[in-house]
Amino acid sequence: MLTRIDRVQITARDAAAVANRWGELLDARIVRHDQIAALAASRIVIGVGDAEVEILQPTGPGPVARHLEAGGGPFAAGLATDNIHVMRRRFAEAGVVPTQIGQQFFVDGGRLSIPGLNVVITAEAKRPRIGLMTNLYEVTHLTDDPRSAAAAIARLFDLDAGKFVPIRSEAFGYDGTLTLFDSNALHRIETIHPYDRTKTMGRYFDRFGPTLYMCYGETDRLPELRERLKRVAPRDWTGSDEDNNGLFVHPRALGGIMLGVSRTTYAWTWSGYPERVRPV
């Protein structure tokens, strides 16, 4: 039913400035803009690889304004489905009433009973690649209870929990689950508990509680992206010339959301199927 991570929503005080920054760093491009009355926000949508990033700017009191006042950054994980009507019916059967946004619908974490996990559901659509990124494949959700969150995600979205992959990182101080939508693809929600509060993620969790934290995508143009970041945003990324597998773009460069970037297939290293990683 879920096909992929096809977007992420973020909140910003100046959506145009944030969109321009994504363009400078990643060759993202504005594809449309509109108003979302239900969220009291204007929206600029940019193409990032074959995915989209929706930048929401409040136009009055409402959920976007409240999110921005609380710190801003990632607002909702964007999930694509091959049958949005069945998905809407499944939510109704679970007693969840979505907020309609044109052809999409939005559900906050409170209605999902998964604190911190807002989602926006969109019908699957093929898009041409835009810019240096290939795709987005992951949104990270921070929680005290990743086991319960993963079970709820499986139940609500009719996913096979047998395909989920446990994950733990001593370096970043977290553990939890990769809720793979399909074991043949990387797309998933990463729901994790930051157990080490001395690390960056743990401090973020102490400040904001259950919330979305970052997103991850692939590129087959990592050296080009690295050179771009060295030139345009030298203090706003983490990586090295010796590491041809990935890098991180810092939140202050992208309107409050961290972007992890891995070279094509490399994320299978920690996603349950390391034999799928292709050599550089």
Side-chain angles (χ1 to χ4, degrees), residues 5-267:
I5 297 290
D6 83 324
R7 72 193 58 242
V8 64
Q9 291 182 328
I10 62 177
T11 61
R13 298 188 187 281
D14 187 341
V18 172
N20 288 338
R21 192 59 170 162
W22 280 76
E24 290 175 340
L25 299 182
L26 301 168
D27 285 345
R29 186 172 72 240
I30 295 174
V31 294
R32 63 185 180 279
H33 50 82
D34 59 9
Q35 302 288 318
I36 307 177
L39 300 180
S42 60
R43 171 171 61 179
I44 294 178
V45 182
I46 57 176
V48 179
D50 68 359
E52 295 184 335
V53 173
E54 300 186 5
I55 308 166
L56 309 180
Q57 180 175 324
T59 54
V64 170
R66 290 192 296 271
H67 183 266
L68 194 56
E69 287 303 314
F75 179 69
L79 313 176
T81 176
D82 55 9
N83 195 323
I84 199 165
H85 304 296
V86 171
M87 182 67 71
R88 188 181 291 108
R89 185 165 63 248
R90 185 172 184 85
F91 273 61
E93 291 169 351
V96 176
V97 180
T99 299
Q100 196 71 33
I101 304 174
Q103 299 301 309
Q104 301 169 299
F105 62 86
F106 168 83
V107 189
D108 61 74
R111 282 179 282 176
L112 292 176
S113 298
I114 309 175
L117 181 61
N118 297 344
V119 299
V120 58
I121 311 294
T122 307
E124 173 64 37
K126 300 297 182 184
R127 302 183 192 91
R129 173 178 173 170
I130 296 175
L132 297 177
M133 298 296 295
T134 304
N135 59 27
L136 297 178
Y137 63 81
E138 177 182 288
V139 177
T140 297
H141 167 240
L142 306 185
T143 176
D144 277 319
D145 189 356
R147 180 175 295 183
S148 294
I153 290 167
R155 184 177 63 255
L156 284 165
F157 296 107
D158 194 26
L159 298 176
D160 180 358
K163 296 178 180 178
F164 293 178
V165 175
I167 187 167
R168 181 179 178 88
S169 170
E170 297 291 343
F172 294 104
Y174 69 81
D175 57 15
T177 301
L178 303 176
T179 66
L180 292 176
F181 303 163
D182 182 329
S183 58
N184 293 311
L186 287 168
H187 295 276
R188 73 282 191 108
I189 297 169
E190 179 187 48
T191 182
I192 54 176
H193 173 234
Y195 61 80
D196 188 342
R197 302 304 171 83
T198 68
K199 306 284 189 183
T200 300
M201 189 182 294
R203 294 194 298 270
Y204 190 94
F205 188 63
D206 273 342
R207 180 180 177 187
F208 295 108
T211 188
L212 296 176
Y213 179 65
M214 65 177 291
C215 60
Y216 235 112
E218 287 185 306
T219 183
D220 55 5
R221 298 166 67 181
L222 188 69
E224 184 179 350
L225 173 58
R226 184 171 55 226
E227 292 306 310
R228 173 77 59 85
L229 293 169
K230 287 163 67 175
R231 185 176 70 254
V232 178
R235 298 183 179 181
D236 291 338
W237 70 286
T238 300
S240 71
D241 289 340
E242 291 71 38
D243 185 356
N244 289 313
N245 295 318
L247 55 81
F248 294 96
V249 186
H250 298 171
R252 65 186 172 213
L254 296 173
I257 187 170
M258 180 177 286
L259 173 65
V261 182
S262 58
R263 70 171 174 85
T264 305
T265 77
Y266 187 71

